[in-house]
Structures are given as C-alpha cells and as structure tokens.
Amino acid sequence: MAKPSSAAAASGGGRGPAHHHRTRLLLLLLLAVAACASTAGFLLRGAMLDPCDVDARRGSGSSAAAVATTRTGAVAGNPLEFMRSKLVLLVSHELSLSGGPLLLMELAFLLRQVGSQVVWITNQRSEETNDVTYSLEHKMLSHGVQVLPARGHEAIDTALKADLVILNTAVAGKWLDAVLKDHVPQVLPKILWWIHEMRGHYFKLEYVKHLPLVAGAMIDSHTTAEYWKTRTHDRLKIQMPQTYVVHLGNSKELMEVAEDNVARRVLREHIRESLGVRSEDLVFAIINSVSRGKGQDLFLQAFYQGVQLIEQKKLKVPTMHAVVVGSDINAQTKFETQLRDFVVKNGIQDRVHFVNKTLAVAPYLAATDVLVQNSQARGECFGRITIEAMAFKLPVLGTAAGGTTEIVVDGSTGLLHPAGKEGVAPLAKNMVRLASHEEDRVSMGRKGYGRVKEMFMEHHMAGRIAAVLQEVLQKSREHSHS
C-alpha cells in the first residue's frame, strides 16, 4: 500500500482545505475497499449528489408511442427547481444493491435537494430486515425521504395526493392492482414508469397491462426503448405511452476521484498491491455482478486465448491480468464455480483475480487499464460502469448490443465485438491489440473521457430527467382539469 507521505508530497506539501478534502476522500475509498462491503460502497457513492446548472430542452414525438429524446444546454439554475414542494411517490419493486433501486434512490436525493417531498415504497420487501435493507432505508431517512409500507391506507392516500408517482422497473407494476385496486384509474395519469429491463421474461401482462394509460415511460437507451415498443406491440398487443430516452450520468463523487491524479495513483497502487499485480502489468477488468448474462465466462475464455496468441506470436507486451469484480464470497454460485474451475484447468491462477461485489468501483477503475463490458444477448439497457470507466480515461471493449452501442464509439473510444461465443475470438484479438499498442489505449481513453464530459455527467442526467418530469406534470395537470 502506498505510504501516506507519498501522497502528501505529491500534492505539494500544503495543508489547506483541498488537501484535507482529498485525504478524507482517499480514506473513505480505501475503507470501502478494505471492508469489501457493498453497503459501505453505496454510502460513499451516493453521499453528496449535487447537480450542476443546466437547462433542459426536450424533443417529443407526435404519437403516444413515439420516442422522445431529452437534451440539455447550460444555463443558470437547478433544472429540478420546479419540483420544490411537490409530493413525489417512488415505488420500487425491491430495495437492494441492484442498479434499478439505486438509480431511484439517486433521483430521490436529487429531488430532496430542491425541496421536494419524497416518499418511498418497496413493493417486495423481505419479512426479515437484513443489513442492506436497513442501511439503505437509514440512508433515505437521513436525506429526508419518508419510507412507507407498500400496503395500507397510508400508501393509498399518498398515491392519491401525490403530484407525481414514479414506478421503477416493469415488475413494480404489480403494486398497482394489489394495493390501489379501485383507485388505479385516478393514479395512472400521473405515473411516470422508469423501465430498465431488457430480458424477455419481464414482458408479462400482469406487470405492464396499465402501461398504455400512464403519463409516460422513461427508458435508459434508444435500443431498449425500441425493444419495448416492438415487444409490447407484438407480444402483448398493447402500445407504449409517450416514451422518453434518458441516458444516465456519472456521479459528482466519481468524477472527483477520476480527475484527481493523486487519488487515482494512490488507489491504483493500493489495489494492485492487494491483488499481487505489478505497476507495469496490464489489467483487463470486468465489473458486473457475476452471472451468465454478464459474460464473465466468455471474457475469461477470450483472455486465455489472448494470452495464448501473445505466446504464439512471441509479442513483447506487459504481463496481462484479468480482474473479475462482482463475486459473492458468501454465496458462490454454480456459475462462479465453473469460472474458477476454468481458471485452474488452464493454469492461469496467477493472472486471474476474483473480487467480491462492491459499489466502490472507483478504486478498481483506478487500478484498471482496460474495461471489458461483456453483457450478452441484448446487452445492457445502458451500462453505467461503461461511462464510469470512460471517466477514468479507460478504453472499453464492449459487446455490440444494447446501450453499449450508444456509449462506446467503435474504433474511437473503444472496440466492439459480437455477443455470444462468436465474440470470444474478436475480443481476444482486441485485447492483444490494446496490449500491444499503448498509444491506442491512451488515445481511446482520452476520447472516452471527452465523450463523458460532453454527454454523461450528473448535470446532464439531471437536466434530462427534469425535462421529462416537467412534461409529465403538465400532462397530469391537464388531465385533472379536463
């Protein structure tokens, strides 16, 4: 681990506010890594959401099923200021460390910052409160978010009084009939449905039968929006409501670390030392929950093929390492056991490293040279880790599917390869290419960072969401007056 004195010396020896802030930031990051606790990572990552000043300009289609893309320009004022004193009910299908609930919590904190009254309901809540649930609920309460039971008169009254109701994920639709019952028609005109799913099994009428009647749907990528439009029409025989595509943005905290050279170096040294990776070695990392849909098996196959190609061609490249962040040491799945067996069978134990799941991704991005986003089938709905890696000036090797195609510019900010087994060989070749050409890694990383600054910052996301909320509120008011 890097000695504290080296960081102090590099920062110029000063002891002003900037120095103390950096020291605190590094301690928090290293604490989260040392604890290997997802909850600690979340507490760090979402602690101080503060959108910058932007103006929201929206585009809308002429038909109810059209896709509207929101864009932002820069003017003074918080774009969500119009939400002050508004009562907003957020309904999540679960409260966990998965992407959907955490995104909704970020929105809750953004709304609280402008003075919105925010109420949270978790539809599928475990009978026994675990550490994660307790920590997340405590965090919401500390931000002034009221947490209610999913059922009961209080939930119904809040839904009826709310200025806006946001359902998070398709599965949350089950809450409507189960709880609101006869009151559903009164609430539908003020519902914004935030959808993140890309898998076919979410297209069930019991989940989304009310979708055509809500004020709007908000989806994370054009690819996913088009998929939902087609599947709901062809499979369920229903139409999507007005649909808004809202690309996500990087948190202010992550950008602060990504743009701090000293913080990045200290974190890089610490993580690499903990993994047994030398400073001159080359790290390819995949940072996702370990599951077949995220493609860690194909990633390791490609990594092994890449190592073989280098040996066969006798290329002079840095020693390559593969880091898989997203394991669960407490409940190792059959799939992860297969991954570890593959590593042992092919004798690459000294090059492959498994890391327990965590939301403190910044330290691992600092230690990485190339991110691999290898989600399979239809890919990611968006894939926030991709823009987080680009903030750290990392090139991205991604599957040519889903939201990744809207983030990574092939040949410029990274390289795309096919999903499925046919993508293994191309991914291996792309790994070898970046291992062999440092100038490509640097150039792609620099361009990726520029793309993040242009499109994927927190204030961009806040402005895009503000444009959607403004339009949905207007529709709701018009309906109530009609």
Side-chain angles (χ1 to χ4, degrees), residues 284 298-299 301-303 305-306 309 372 374 396-400 410 414-434:
F284 292 83
L298 303 180
F299 162 67
Q301 291 175 32
F303 176 78
Q305 285 189 20
L309 282 172
V372 178
N374 205 41
V396 177
L397 302 180
T399 45
D410 191 24
L415 299 169
L416 299 178
H417 58 274
K421 293 180 180 178
E422 59 268 32
V424 171
L427 175 55
K429 291 179 181 178
N430 289 341
M431 286 180 173
V432 174
R433 171 181 167 178
L434 292 188

Side-chain angles (χ1 to χ4, degrees), residues 5-15 19 22 262:
S5 58
S6 65
S11 64
R15 290 296 183 270
H19 168 80
R22 172 181 290 159
V262 174

Side-chain angles (χ1 to χ4, degrees), residues 225-466:
E226 187 60 33
Y227 178 63
W228 270 85
K229 178 182 176 181
T230 302
R231 293 278 287 192
T232 51
H233 178 270
D234 295 347
R235 182 170 175 175
L236 302 179
K237 308 304 179 186
I238 62 175
Q239 283 193 324
M240 291 288 288
Q242 178 75 49
T243 302
Y244 306 89
V245 173
V246 174
H247 285 154
L248 307 179
N250 281 327
S251 71
K252 182 179 178 181
E253 299 75 53
L254 182 126
M255 292 302 302
E256 187 176 352
V257 179
E259 295 176 332
D260 188 322
N261 292 332
V262 174
R264 287 205 323 272
R265 191 185 74 245
V266 172
L267 293 171
R268 184 180 179 90
E269 290 173 357
H270 172 75
I271 294 297
R272 284 185 168 235
E273 183 175 317
S274 70
L275 295 174
V277 176
R278 299 173 302 179
S279 60
E280 65 269 24
D281 292 344
L282 194 66
V283 170
F284 292 83
I286 184 167
I287 305 176
N288 281 117
S289 57
V290 172
S291 67
R292 198 171 299 278
K294 301 299 183 181
Q296 286 92 351
D297 53 343
L298 303 180
F299 162 67
L300 290 177
Q301 291 175 32
F303 176 78
Y304 178 60
Q305 285 189 20
V307 171
Q308 288 183 311
L309 282 172
I310 289 170
E311 292 176 352
Q312 291 167 6
K313 296 182 179 182
K314 298 181 179 180
L315 299 176
K316 293 184 178 180
V317 301
T319 300
M320 289 169 46
H321 290 259
V323 176
V324 179
V325 180
S327 297
D328 189 342
I329 58 176
N330 297 317
Q332 194 173 118
T333 63
K334 179 180 178 182
F335 177 68
E336 184 171 337
T337 300
Q338 293 171 347
L339 297 181
R340 293 175 182 270
D341 289 346
F342 174 85
V343 170
V344 173
K345 178 182 177 182
N346 291 284
I348 49 176
Q349 303 97 310
D350 59 334
R351 290 174 177 259
V352 178
H353 314 271
F354 291 90
V355 177
N356 198 36
K357 58 185 179 181
T358 176
L359 289 177
V361 296
Y364 294 97
L365 291 173
T368 296
D369 297 294
V370 180
L371 180 85
V372 178
Q373 174 59 281
N374 205 41
S375 293
Q376 298 299 302
R378 298 177 187 89
E380 291 285 335
C381 180
F382 182 77
R384 200 176 196 181
I385 189 63
T386 304
I387 59 172
E388 291 173 331
M390 290 161 64
F392 278 77
K393 299 183 180 179
L394 303 183
V396 177
L397 302 180
T399 45
T404 302
T405 61
E406 298 173 28
I407 303 171
V408 177
V409 180
D410 191 24
S412 176
T413 66
L415 299 169
L416 299 178
H417 58 274
K421 293 180 180 178
E422 59 268 32
V424 171
L427 175 55
K429 291 179 181 178
N430 289 341
M431 286 180 173
V432 174
R433 171 181 167 178
L434 292 188
S436 306
H437 297 89
E438 181 182 5
E439 66 277 10
D440 284 353
R441 299 198 303 272
V442 172
S443 174
M444 289 179 178
R446 185 176 65 250
K447 291 176 182 176
Y449 172 76
R451 187 164 169 80
V452 164
K453 296 289 282 188
E454 181 184 353
M455 299 177 62
F456 300 121
M457 300 286 283
E458 186 178 90
H459 67 267
H460 295 135
M461 181 176 73
R464 288 188 277 258
I465 290 176

